[in-house]
Amino acid sequence: MDHSLAPPCDRSVPVHQLDSIVLSDSKTTTDELTADEIETLEETHYNATIIERIDVHEDLARFRIRADAGHAPFQSGQYVALGLGNWEPRLRGTQPEDLPPKRARRLVRRAYSISCPMISSAGKLLPNDEIDYLEFYITLVRKGATPVSKPPGLTPRLFGKHAGDRITMERKITGKYILENIGPEDTVLFLGTGTGEAPHNSMAADLLARGHTGKIIIATSVRYRRDLAYLSEHQTLMSAFNQYIYLPLTTREVENLDSTHVSYVGKQYLQTVYESGQLAKSVDDTLTPDHTHVFLCGNPDMIGIIPADAPMPDQPGMVPLLRRAGFRDDVEEHGVGTIRYEKYW
């Protein structure tokens, strides 16, 4: 599942306006494949169609994908793997990839949490069980994390695809990051960075559709305001449901960096706003373990998993901070007062 922190925005951009969507003209071993071979490979492996692509900006998009045979039943918060053939061209401007011939006919796959449209075209709540496609919130990874990292395989190919193009979507949808043992009046706190918001969107829409009356809070920390791909949907939900709260936080806007700015707030990392008490104040809730469930998804540094008996690090993530406040993550059965997080790293 990909939850890298990358720039979204609050307005969708038609794909034809994105000048960066240009396929690479670099040569690879896949050039040795004939058109007939590629057609056969696609017929063999591709089982789904991209039905809509909502571009937030050049490095962030929402992909809506419909499986030919329909998708398997799933719970909000779970994930599934997407794939494309290594024969597919890569975007210009992404890290070059030197494929050995034996890989040219294989698929590259990556798992992504399933997001949710949240709002219909009529402005009504739209949870996942009312649609026949799956939505994914994906960042374009242009290069490896370090100079020696291998080139990213999937997104440089995926971001060259548009509505009507074919793709692989695995049948198995899985994951333990789900809603369970949540009382109708409990506070549910979702904390995410970047595209880590994806499963929280799905779970929040699910809770609202169930008639959950307790507070549902999504706090998302991104670099820039343009990195808030679902902002309008969250605003619509806040207008419709008094118990729903969305807190968009940034770390690289002028008010985050310039201490002389009239609206200076500093870098709004989730750990910072939680530890300072600003988060609880903003949502008018004590956020204590006696009534609160906490979900964490996104940057591993934000989650900050450490052994339970380890000393508090100088720059702690949310897990040790929550433990200090009385929350627990060393449980087999989750419930009120527990921390749930993805375990991919």
Side-chain angles (χ1 to χ4, degrees):
M1 181 190 63
D2 186 357
H3 289 317
S4 52
L5 182 59
C9 97
D10 60 355
R11 299 180 66 181
S12 300
V13 181
V15 68
H16 65 270
Q17 294 182 10
L18 292 176
D19 295 334
S20 66
I21 305 301
V22 179
L23 299 182
S24 171
D25 55 4
S26 61
K27 299 294 183 183
T28 71
T29 54
T30 59
D31 295 326
E32 300 172 5
L33 297 179
T34 67
D36 287 344
E37 284 181 295
I38 291 175
E39 183 178 357
T40 299
L41 287 166
E42 292 178 348
E43 289 177 353
T44 300
H45 295 291
Y46 290 173
N47 64 352
T49 301
I50 299 171
I51 62 168
E52 186 177 3
R53 171 176 166 167
I54 304 171
D55 282 278
V56 183
H57 55 64
E58 65 274 12
D59 287 344
L60 187 75
R62 294 160 58 177
F63 290 86
R64 293 175 175 175
I65 300 174
R66 180 182 291 126
D68 298 344
H71 56 261
F74 69 97
Q75 296 187 61
S76 294
Q78 293 188 308
Y79 63 91
V80 67
L82 303 178
L84 285 169
N86 278 327
W87 59 85
E88 299 281 4
R90 298 167 65 85
L91 286 182
R92 183 176 297 163
T94 60
Q95 184 178 354
E97 182 181 50
D98 185 14
L99 280 175
K102 65 180 181 180
R103 290 181 54 200
R105 294 169 175 81
R106 296 181 183 176
L107 294 178
V108 56
R109 297 179 177 87
R110 185 152 188 173
Y112 292 95
S113 289
I114 300 166
S115 188
C116 182
M118 305 187 80
I119 297 295
S120 71
S121 58
K124 303 297 183 182
L125 177 67
L126 185 63
N128 275 324
D129 62 2
E130 295 184 14
I131 56 178
D132 65 352
Y133 60 86
L134 299 180
E135 177 161 316
F136 301 90
Y137 183 23
I138 301 178
T139 295
L140 169 60
V141 182
R142 293 183 175 269
K143 61 182 180 179
T146 70
V148 297
S149 299
K150 67 179 183 179
L154 183 60
T155 60
R157 294 178 168 91
L158 179 61
F159 273 70
K161 297 296 183 182
H162 310 297
D165 287 335
R166 300 284 286 163
I167 191 170
T168 292
M169 185 162 68
E170 299 297 332
R171 287 286 299 165
K172 184 178 181 181
I173 302 177
T174 189
K176 297 181 179 180
Y177 190 65
I178 57 175
L179 298 168
E180 56 182 351
N181 301 324
I182 295 177
E185 298 181 359
D186 295 344
T187 293
V188 186
L189 176 62
F190 297 106
L191 303 179
T193 56
T195 55
E197 180 183 300
H200 299 165
N201 295 339
S202 178
M203 289 191 275
D206 190 345
L207 286 170
L208 290 171
R210 295 182 192 182
H212 187 84
T213 57
K215 288 183 179 177
I216 302 168
I217 304 161
I218 295 184
T220 300
S221 181
V222 296
R223 295 171 181 173
Y224 303 98
R225 275 186 292 277
R226 72 185 193 118
D227 299 343
L228 298 167
Y230 290 83
L231 182 59
S232 62
E233 286 85 348
H234 291 302
Q235 290 173 333
T236 298
L237 289 176
M238 284 194 291
S239 296
F241 298 94
N242 293 331
Q243 73 273 38
Y244 188 79
I245 302 171
Y246 181 65
L247 290 178
L249 307 170
T250 59
T251 61
R252 296 190 183 179
E253 294 287 355
V254 62
E255 65 268 24
N256 304 127
L257 305 175
D258 183 359
S259 61
T260 66
H261 192 275
V262 64
S263 300
Y264 178 70
V265 292
K267 293 186 177 183
Q268 295 177 303
Y269 294 112
L270 291 167
Q271 304 94 300
T272 304
V273 297
Y274 174 79
E275 191 172 23
S276 68
Q278 179 186 345
L279 180 61
K281 182 178 179 180
S282 297
V283 300
D284 191 25
D285 193 300
T286 57
L287 301 178
T288 49
D290 60 301
H291 70 285
T292 306
H293 305 254
V294 181
F295 291 78
L296 308 174
C297 190
N299 191 311
D301 291 336
M302 179 276 290
I303 297 174
I305 303 171
I306 60 173
D309 57 353
M312 183 73 75
D314 292 337
Q315 295 182 317
M318 285 303 309
V319 168
L321 293 176
L322 289 163
R323 287 173 181 163
R324 187 169 65 184
F327 289 89
R328 297 183 60 187
D329 60 315
D330 58 343
V331 295
E332 293 186 5
E333 183 173 312
H334 287 289
V336 69
T338 62
I339 313 165
R340 308 169 211 201
Y341 47 78
E342 290 286 15
K343 301 177 181 179
Y344 293 93
W345 306 281

